[in-house]
Amino acid sequence: MFLSRQLIQFFAVAENSSLAEAAEKLSLTPSALSHGIHDLECKTGISLIKRSGQKSSLTTAGKDLYQQLLPYYIRIKNISDDLSGKKKNKNSINIKTDSLCYSPLKDKIMLFCKESRNLTISMKSPELIDIKHEILNTNTDIVISSDFSIDNDEINHLNLPTEKIGIIAHNSLLKKYDSPSDLIMNERLIRVETKTHKDILNRCLSILKINPTHCHSIDVTAEYDIYKLISDSAGFSLLPENKTLIDKIQNKNCSFIKLPHGYDTSIRRRIYFKKTHSTIISDFILMIRRK
């Protein structure tokens, strides 16, 4: 209803492994579909797809365009389906994430909750997540994960903004040491007992050329415990930069310190979701992808 013919054709090609498959789903001939994609390439001035025998895939520029347009494409398509009576909107979202660890994502999810008071939200962080099983075989609507290996025709994914990692510690500890390495070697590392947080910490230690076995640590069960222990000068933690958290810890005489150039690291995550879903899911995806 609201989507152009060429945009629909582009998404069909992006979500199928060949022009023939995409054309069949649109009830077009491969030749007609190919002409439509060519017209779009002429309008945008970029090459969007590459062909290898009978197969087709997006170019790097095509993938970038797909990632940018997908949430809006889904949103418009869902509105069109709602107006035509094809789909009823859900009043709940079931989310699973491989740990947020004071992530900026957590703030965005909380904001979404406040703005959608008639919505029921369930959010769980199991130790391990089988993404394909959760999305396709359970009532899970969304999985947020640092696993980039999932490739399935029935599952969409979008890359989320990169989160920079830094040191959070009480100022009294930071003043004692000349470098991040000295701090890490001599103070206790406070971490949440999840695979994701441990992987983040081990990656940071590896970049700093520090053996994880040389670090004394405190394992805690909840993110709140990290904040409390840092405020009490019990140790330090390595966490994503988060404005809300930084504002809180500064009032407790604590600081967030970015890692030195050459030692910086980050978290990259994806949001996975069913290709067929409600408008409220689209709204949620758009919210957490905002920078």
Side-chain angles (χ1 to χ4, degrees):
M1 184 185 298
F2 302 112
L3 296 167
S4 71
R5 171 180 56 84
Q6 291 172 341
L7 194 58
I8 292 171
Q9 291 174 352
F10 171 67
F11 274 88
V13 171
E15 294 174 354
N16 291 278
S17 60
S18 71
L19 282 175
E21 288 180 12
E24 183 179 356
K25 290 190 177 181
L26 295 176
S27 299
L28 295 172
T29 65
S31 177
L33 179 56
S34 182
H35 281 301
I37 296 298
H38 178 69
D39 289 343
L40 185 59
E41 289 177 324
C42 289
K43 286 183 179 180
T44 59
I46 57 177
S47 175
L48 297 173
I49 66 168
K50 53 187 176 183
R51 299 171 179 81
S52 177
Q54 299 297 316
K55 300 293 183 180
S56 65
S57 60
L58 295 181
T59 62
T60 300
K63 289 178 181 177
D64 289 342
L65 182 63
Y66 176 79
Q67 284 281 318
Q68 291 179 51
L69 291 179
L70 182 56
Y72 305 102
Y73 174 85
I74 293 169
R75 177 69 175 137
I76 293 171
K77 189 173 184 303
N78 283 340
I79 291 173
S80 179
D81 288 346
D82 288 342
L83 291 174
S84 62
K86 291 181 181 179
K87 190 184 299 182
K88 291 186 177 180
N89 204 19
K90 284 182 67 175
N91 62 351
S92 65
I93 300 180
N94 294 311
I95 306 164
K96 289 198 175 168
T97 172
D98 59 3
S99 176
L100 292 173
C101 294
Y102 278 123
S103 166
L105 282 173
K106 190 171 185 179
D107 296 337
K108 293 178 181 179
I109 292 172
M110 292 304 103
L111 178 60
F112 187 81
C113 291
K114 291 178 181 178
E115 293 180 353
S116 308
R117 296 193 177 277
N118 296 325
L119 181 68
T120 299
I121 296 181
S122 169
M123 188 167 64
K124 297 180 180 179
S125 297
E127 182 69 18
L128 296 172
I129 304 177
D130 183 335
I131 297 174
K132 287 183 181 179
H133 174 74
E134 290 295 338
I135 295 292
L136 300 179
N137 300 317
T138 74
N139 65 346
T140 300
D141 298 297
I142 285 170
V143 173
I144 300 172
S145 174
S146 53
D147 183 350
F148 275 50
S149 66
I150 305 304
D151 185 15
N152 187 284
D153 290 341
E154 298 177 65
I155 301 174
N156 271 331
H157 71 262
L158 286 169
N159 296 332
L160 295 174
T162 300
E163 301 167 54
K164 289 289 186 180
I165 301 297
I167 294 173
I168 295 182
H170 196 275
N171 292 337
S172 63
L173 293 185
L174 294 171
K175 291 175 181 176
K176 289 171 59 177
Y177 302 101
D178 295 327
S179 70
S181 297
D182 289 341
L183 170 68
I184 291 170
M185 287 295 292
N186 291 282
E187 298 294 338
R188 282 191 171 86
L189 172 62
I190 306 168
R191 61 188 185 183
V192 182
E193 290 182 309
T194 66
K195 181 180 183 299
T196 301
H197 200 201
K198 289 177 181 177
D199 287 347
I200 292 168
L201 298 176
N202 287 339
R203 195 187 325 150
C204 289
L205 295 175
S206 174
I207 291 172
L208 291 166
K209 297 180 171 54
I210 296 173
N211 189 329
T213 60
H214 295 165
C215 290
H216 303 294
S217 63
I218 303 174
D219 289 343
V220 296
T221 57
E223 294 170 5
Y224 170 78
D225 295 326
I226 290 183
Y227 166 67
K228 181 68 170 64
L229 288 168
I230 288 173
S231 299
D232 291 340
S233 303
F236 72 95
S237 192
L238 293 161
L239 293 172
E241 186 173 10
N242 181 322
K243 184 179 183 305
T244 302
L245 174 61
I246 292 171
D247 289 345
K248 286 181 180 178
I249 63 174
Q250 284 176 341
N251 293 331
K252 297 289 186 179
N253 202 26
C254 301
S255 297
F256 177 90
I257 306 298
K258 294 182 180 179
L259 293 175
H261 181 67
Y263 295 102
D264 55 331
T265 188
S266 59
I267 306 175
R268 296 173 61 236
R269 302 191 215 235
R270 277 181 176 171
I271 178 168
Y272 293 94
F273 52 99
K274 298 180 181 75
K275 286 192 174 179
T276 302
H277 56 269
S278 66
T279 305
I280 198 69
I281 303 295
S282 302
D283 291 341
F284 177 85
I285 293 166
L286 287 172
M287 163 67 80
I288 68 169
R289 288 192 80 233
R290 291 178 192 166
K291 292 185 179 180

